[in-house]
Amino acid sequence: MKVEIIAVGTELLMGQVIDSNSATIAQELLSLGLGVYYRQVVGDNPERMFEAIQLAGGRSDLIILCGGIGPTQDDITKQMVAKYLNVDLIHDQEEIDKIKRYFEKSRRSMPQNNLRQALMFKGGVKLENPVGTAAGALYKTNNDQMFAVLPGPPMELKATLKQSLIPYLLQFVRKNEVIDSVYLNFVNIGESQVAEDIEDLINQQTNPSIAMYAKPERVQIRLTSNAKNHEEAEKLNEQLAKEIIKRLSKHFIGRGKEFDFAKEVVTLLKERSLTLSCAESLTGGLFASEIVSQSGASTVFKGGVVSYTPDIKEQLLNVSPQTIKEHSVYSQQVAIEMAKGAQEQLKTDVSVSFTGVAGPDDEKDHPVGEVHYAIAFKNEKAHTGCLHLGHRSRNMIRYLSVQRVLANLIELLRQR
């Protein structure tokens, strides 16, 4: 089944809103074994929208449109699909009652244009919107081609997609074919090196297929297999995953499309009954923020110090003025004393520190992107490192500093 997505909204074309809906739809359909062949973005213009629908109708089996089904005059998605299909739009009484109840509960009068949200294709299927007032609609033609219209707000789209459209589509999905994906994450290695190390596997790929994504803090490999069932697909993916991990073992950090470094750190600390603290300079509390955003962080994270100036490093972390004078604040020696100071002050098992130059200007002999860090375990010599992140933006340097040190911390914790 060829699937096409049409995202509707002039704001998308103007760059005022990012089209996250298409990605959401594609990901959900992939779990059914349905791959998206085409994607279009079109504004709230009748002629151009009709042309987009006409193009999709001539090449795809399932066309999903998102957006443009609200109460205003420029919400014309259902109208344009109905025109293309040559079917009437009719009001659904249940939806009318639902909209009226919403306004009554809000103690507001209802403008009559809200009834546009209750329009459905005559002879079609209503797609319930459990969290909003604009219901989706679906029409299946005599030759089994399907047109589905979903609301534009991401929360409403997700709810309508999962609770209405996906269950409807299940009856048309072939039961003897599934698509399954596995995501592998690697750090401290570039995409080109990964490609070289597994070049033969890439050249030989059939099923599973291999795709690589270069992200700021990692390289991610996606393995996707087609099989009769999930068990067989999982087996195919696992055979290839083991070979790739074996070749890139020193860079492998974990599995999962949304693998979260901070979440893994918190999990490892819990498992080992260890406590954590931090001392931050250029990162300005970003490391602490990443940690406390994780559920259960309070059981392992005791606190941190943002020591942005030399005097605060000296007063709160007991960094020696002599160390700063001899080595500067942007040094391995200062990073070590910061980590040790936080560990002693907050009485934790491990502490992490950051100091460096976020930019936009160099600091004497220290270029933008030079970041020193230390990871200190109680009664042990501190583990240190220096990152050379280059002339990136301040926030990107701060972000990469935190992510790369989290990755290093994961490796050290796993060794315990």
Side-chain angles (χ1 to χ4, degrees):
M1 181 184 291
K2 290 184 179 180
V3 181
E4 182 158 353
I5 299 171
I6 303 176
V8 176
T10 302
E11 66 277 10
L12 300 174
L13 292 175
M14 296 176 66
Q16 295 175 338
V17 175
I18 294 174
D19 175 26
S20 61
N21 286 339
S22 293
T24 298
I25 295 169
Q27 290 166 11
E28 287 294 328
L29 294 181
L30 195 61
S31 67
L32 299 182
L34 299 176
V36 174
Y37 280 62
Y38 309 102
R39 192 181 85 174
Q40 299 186 63
V41 179
V42 64
D44 304 303
N45 177 279
E47 291 78 16
R48 289 192 286 274
M49 193 183 302
F50 187 84
E51 288 175 2
I53 295 168
Q54 195 171 42
L55 175 62
R59 65 187 182 186
S60 300
D61 305 304
L62 169 61
I63 298 93
I64 301 176
L65 299 95
C66 52
I69 63 171
T72 61
Q73 291 300 316
D74 62 348
D75 290 315
I76 55 173
T77 303
K78 288 179 182 176
Q79 286 79 358
M80 290 300 102
V81 173
K83 179 180 177 181
Y84 173 76
L85 295 171
N86 195 28
V87 299
D88 293 329
L89 288 172
I90 58 174
H91 283 98
D92 182 274
Q93 188 59 49
E94 288 184 353
E95 289 302 308
I96 291 175
D97 294 341
K98 176 183 174 182
I99 295 168
K100 288 181 176 179
R101 285 196 301 272
Y102 169 79
F103 278 93
E104 288 171 2
K105 288 181 180 179
S106 303
R107 296 183 179 181
R108 292 185 292 154
S109 60
M110 185 194 75
Q112 288 301 302
N113 59 6
N114 278 277
L115 298 182
R116 290 166 59 89
Q117 298 176 104
L119 288 171
M120 299 294 145
F121 302 121
K122 186 176 182 180
V125 176
K126 178 171 65 175
L127 300 176
E128 298 273 1
N129 178 351
V131 295
T133 55
L138 181 143
Y139 190 86
K140 184 169 177 285
T141 67
N142 292 333
N143 61 358
D144 294 331
Q145 190 178 42
M146 288 181 280
F147 290 79
V149 180
L150 300 174
M155 184 177 71
E156 296 185 29
L157 178 133
K158 288 179 183 179
T160 306
L161 180 66
K162 290 184 177 182
Q163 296 188 36
S164 299
L165 181 57
I166 295 298
Y168 178 85
L169 293 176
L170 278 171
Q171 62 186 304
F172 304 104
V173 175
R174 285 180 289 176
K175 305 300 183 190
N176 63 341
E177 183 178 337
V178 299
I179 298 176
D180 196 28
S181 293
V182 168
Y183 294 84
L184 309 176
N185 298 281
F186 302 88
V187 295
N188 301 321
I189 187 172
E191 182 184 21
S192 60
Q193 187 62 56
V194 170
E196 184 175 296
D197 290 347
I198 63 171
E199 183 177 7
D200 59 317
L201 300 178
I202 294 173
N203 291 336
Q204 297 166 12
Q205 65 176 309
T206 52
N207 186 27
S209 62
I210 303 173
M212 285 190 296
Y213 307 95
K215 302 190 175 185
E217 77 285 7
R218 76 189 87 177
V219 173
Q220 188 173 79
I221 295 177
R222 189 199 73 212
L223 308 179
T224 302
S225 62
N226 292 273
K228 293 181 179 179
N229 52 60
H230 283 288
E231 291 74 19
E232 187 177 328
E234 186 178 328
K235 184 178 179 181
L236 288 169
N237 282 332
E238 191 59 29
Q239 289 174 343
L240 184 55
K242 286 181 178 179
E243 177 59 29
I244 293 174
I245 292 171
K246 180 181 177 181
R247 296 190 188 190
L248 302 169
S249 58
K250 68 178 182 179
H251 299 288
F252 178 66
I253 193 167
R255 296 172 180 245
K257 183 179 181 182
E258 305 298 336
F259 181 83
D260 190 306
F261 294 178
K263 182 178 181 180
E264 182 69 6
V265 164
V266 170
T267 299
L268 292 169
L269 289 168
K270 285 181 180 180
E271 292 173 351
R272 289 154 178 77
S273 299
L274 298 174
T275 54
L276 174 68
S277 60
C278 64
E280 302 185 63
S281 184
L282 85 157
T283 51
L286 187 58
F287 178 87
S289 177
E290 286 286 304
I291 294 296
V292 301
S293 67
Q294 307 303 319
S295 176
S298 61
T299 62
V300 295
F301 184 66
K302 297 188 75 172
V305 176
V306 176
S307 53
Y308 210 63
T309 59
D311 59 316
I312 297 301
K313 291 178 174 65
E314 296 169 12
Q315 294 171 25
L316 300 184
L317 298 172
N318 298 321
V319 174
S320 167
Q322 190 64 29
T323 301
I324 293 176
K325 183 177 180 180
E326 291 181 5
H327 302 283
S328 90
V329 290
Y330 315 113
S331 64
Q332 172 184 301
Q333 292 81 0
V334 167
I336 292 172
E337 292 189 18
M338 288 172 64
K340 291 290 186 181
Q343 187 180 60
E344 292 168 3
Q345 295 290 341
L346 297 170
K347 296 179 173 54
T348 58
D349 300 304
V350 58
S351 188
V352 176
S353 68
F354 301 82
T355 183
V357 185
D361 302 316
D362 297 341
E363 294 288 344
K364 295 183 180 179
D365 297 328
H366 303 280
V368 172
E370 178 185 311
V371 180
H372 295 271
Y373 69 89
I375 301 174
F377 287 85
K378 188 186 293 183
N379 303 321
E380 294 182 19
K381 181 180 178 181
H383 301 266
T384 61
C386 180
L387 305 175
H388 299 280
L389 302 175
H391 278 266
R392 292 179 165 95
S393 70
R394 284 177 60 84
N395 285 341
M396 181 55 73
I397 288 172
R398 295 172 60 239
Y399 171 77
L400 288 176
S401 298
V402 169
Q403 295 302 315
R404 293 191 183 181
V405 172
L406 282 169
N408 196 346
L409 182 55
I410 289 170
E411 182 181 357
L412 293 172
L413 288 170
R414 286 175 176 171
Q415 295 171 3
R416 296 175 177 265

